[in-house]
């Protein structure tokens, strides 16, 4: 899955958890707290929605996400890990 596709999926998630945010102007540089207003409850809802959408569980986060790009990086890493596990299992 390409970064653009992941960003589009995240915009859909943000439109649900933060409906008053300017979804169309969200980029990888968008700050979750300052620009979108993601607080601790919104972060939890976002994490649950991402887990459901991308079929993985958040584990061992070293630090909280600051930008949308950091979220995309994490999702990409999890997707690649899942693809590698499926290849090994086959």
């Amino acid at each position: 899955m390409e970064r653009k596709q992941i960003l589009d999926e995240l915009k859909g998630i943000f439109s649900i958890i933060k409906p008053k945010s300017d979804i169309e102007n969200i980029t990888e540089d968008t700050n979750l707290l300052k620009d979108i207003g993601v607080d601790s409850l919104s972060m939890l809802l976002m994490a649950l929605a991402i887990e459901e959408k991308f079929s993985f569980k958040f584990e061992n986060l070293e630090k909280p996400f600051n930008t949308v790009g950091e979220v995309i990086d994490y999702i990409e890493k999890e997707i690649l890990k899942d693809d590698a596990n499926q290849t090994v299992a086959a």
Side-chain angles (χ1 to χ4, degrees):
M1 181 176 279
E2 293 182 19
R3 291 182 76 83
K4 169 81 170 91
Q5 291 173 295
I6 296 171
L7 177 60
D8 289 341
E9 295 293 344
L10 288 174
K11 285 180 180 182
I13 291 170
F14 293 133
S15 71
I16 295 168
I17 64 170
K18 296 305 267 182
K20 294 182 181 178
S21 57
D22 186 8
I23 302 303
E24 292 307 313
N25 288 321
I26 292 176
T27 67
E28 290 192 36
D29 295 325
T30 301
N31 185 285
L32 294 170
L33 177 61
K34 295 176 187 170
D35 300 327
I36 304 175
V38 174
D39 56 16
S40 57
L41 178 58
S42 300
M43 185 68 75
L44 177 60
L45 295 172
M46 179 184 78
L48 292 172
I50 289 171
E51 286 180 345
E52 184 174 321
K53 183 69 181 175
F54 295 99
S55 303
F56 70 84
K57 296 281 185 203
F58 282 98
E59 296 177 11
N60 303 325
L61 289 177
E62 297 172 10
K63 63 180 183 119
F65 300 117
N66 292 310
T67 66
V68 173
E70 290 173 3
V71 177
I72 294 172
D73 291 342
Y74 189 90
I75 292 169
E76 278 188 324
K77 183 179 80 169
E78 289 299 315
I79 290 172
L80 288 174
K81 185 168 60 173
D82 187 51
D83 287 348
N85 288 339
Q86 288 180 5
T87 302
V88 170

